[in-house]
Amino acid sequence: MTDFKKEFWKRLSNVKSGLLDVDGRLFPMTPNLTPDDDGAIWFITSKGTDAADAAEAGKTIRFALSDNSAGLHGYVNGKVSTSPNQEKLEEIWSVVASAWFEDGKYDPDLVLVKFEPQDGEIWLSTDSGAVFLFETIKANLTHHEPDVGQRATLDFKKAA
């Protein structure tokens, strides 16, 4: 039996980007996880962005993702907040993030956003192109839907 929450976190660690939905507007963002597995998704943004403003207001927003290489598709809803945690920033800082901030980790416009998932819906797709192709051909021959993954509803507020 698949532990969908565990599989979500495992596959999310390989996702390069997704879309934050803030009040119906979508913004591409890179999800960051920390080695201590704190149950949060971290984002780095700038002051004045919709993501930063939503975090300042403590809003509940959605993070949508579709990454074929990670085999993870879906969305999670969660509450966002800003965090002054410099240790977390050190943990997730990357070359990609440094391209956006002239003064690096100490840029005065930088905002660290903590996203705490509450619930969501995911699809775990097969990790093999050959399996996908086989299932597609089989479905066309048998007139049955292809088996290319699993779907799950997640509740992060309940213990695993």
Side-chain angles (χ1 to χ4, degrees), residues 118-138:
Q118 296 173 337
D119 57 49
E121 187 170 12
I122 60 167
W123 290 263
L124 305 176
S125 61
T126 180
D127 58 359
S128 166
V131 171
F132 181 85
L133 180 60
F134 171 77
E135 286 292 333
T136 302
I137 292 169
K138 183 176 91 175

Side-chain angles (χ1 to χ4, degrees), residues 66-96:
S66 184
D67 191 307
N68 286 332
S69 63
L72 180 61
H73 313 274
Y75 66 88
V76 286
N77 300 309
K79 194 161 185 95
V80 287
S81 60
T82 60
S83 174
N85 191 331
Q86 194 65 31
E87 288 177 24
K88 288 290 180 192
L89 184 59
E90 293 285 340
E91 289 178 45
I92 67 172
W93 190 254
S94 67
V95 173
V96 174

Side-chain angles (χ1 to χ4, degrees), residues 44 112 115 140 146 150 152:
I44 300 170
L112 182 60
F115 180 94
N140 280 302
Q150 300 173 300

